[in-house]
Amino acid sequence: MEITKAGKGTAASTEAVPIGSTTGKPQGATVTFKGGVAAVAALDRVGTPFSWGGGSSTGPTKGIGRGASTTGFDCSGLTLYAWSKAGVRLTHYTGSQFRQGRRISLNDLRKGDLVFFGGGTGDPTHVGLYLGDGVMVHSPKTGDVVKKTRFLDSSYYRPIYRGAVRPG
């Protein structure tokens, strides 16, 4: 199975990279749009531990504070990692990521869009990466791991949904 990676400043390059079976893509599937590349990159990290302040464009890192002893991702670290694989640079802060891209309505979400939650009227406090059918991949909290969650049906996430952004 392969994925065509989007290069920096291009719609997509022709470099093919093998991907794991965690993507749920049929054998031989190729993803050429940046959001799809980001989604596959995030899905390949399912099971990685949450680490407060963890994650970079190269992968999981030791976090800071309460994440200092764990190698993994926090929510914005996962999304910046995933989008870096599509050639898009994001900051490592949920509030900043909320302002990095074009706002997308709930009805127009597509794979790879960033979905934001919480924070009342201030910056959102959580970010995930949309996969389709009301599902996101995210790094939820200390003691948990990167996983998929149905947020549109969730009694926790749905009421605190803040909006979505399409990076790049």
Side-chain angles (χ1 to χ4, degrees), residues 20-80:
S21 62
T22 59
T23 63
K25 292 278 181 204
Q27 187 67 22
T30 301
V31 178
T32 57
F33 69 101
K34 289 181 181 186
V37 171
V40 168
L43 282 168
D44 281 345
R45 294 304 182 154
V46 166
T48 302
F50 178 93
S51 178
W52 185 264
S56 74
S57 61
T58 60
T61 65
K62 292 250 189 229
I64 58 174
R66 58 187 178 212
S69 63
T70 305
T71 299
F73 293 103
D74 67 7
C75 63
S76 61
L78 176 66
T79 55
L80 85 82

Side-chain angles (χ1 to χ4, degrees), residues 79-155:
T79 55
L80 85 82
Y81 165 77
W83 272 94
S84 77
K85 300 306 166 203
V88 176
R89 180 179 288 192
L90 297 175
T91 59
H92 195 164
Y93 174 61
T94 301
S96 297
Q97 289 182 4
F98 193 50
R99 295 181 284 279
Q100 288 184 284
R102 185 168 47 100
R103 292 290 169 100
I104 302 298
S105 73
L106 189 60
N107 292 333
D108 292 327
L109 283 174
R110 73 177 188 209
K111 192 172 289 191
D113 289 343
L114 300 180
V115 288
F116 295 88
F117 305 89
T121 58
D123 284 343
T125 55
H126 188 63
V127 60
L129 200 139
Y130 187 67
L131 298 175
D133 297 322
V135 176
M136 68 175 163
V137 59
H138 65 135
S139 191
K141 63 186 178 197
T142 300
D144 212 335
V145 298
V146 174
K147 63 184 175 184
K148 296 189 292 185
T149 298
R150 284 196 59 78
F151 72 92
L152 283 181
D153 299 343
S154 167
S155 60

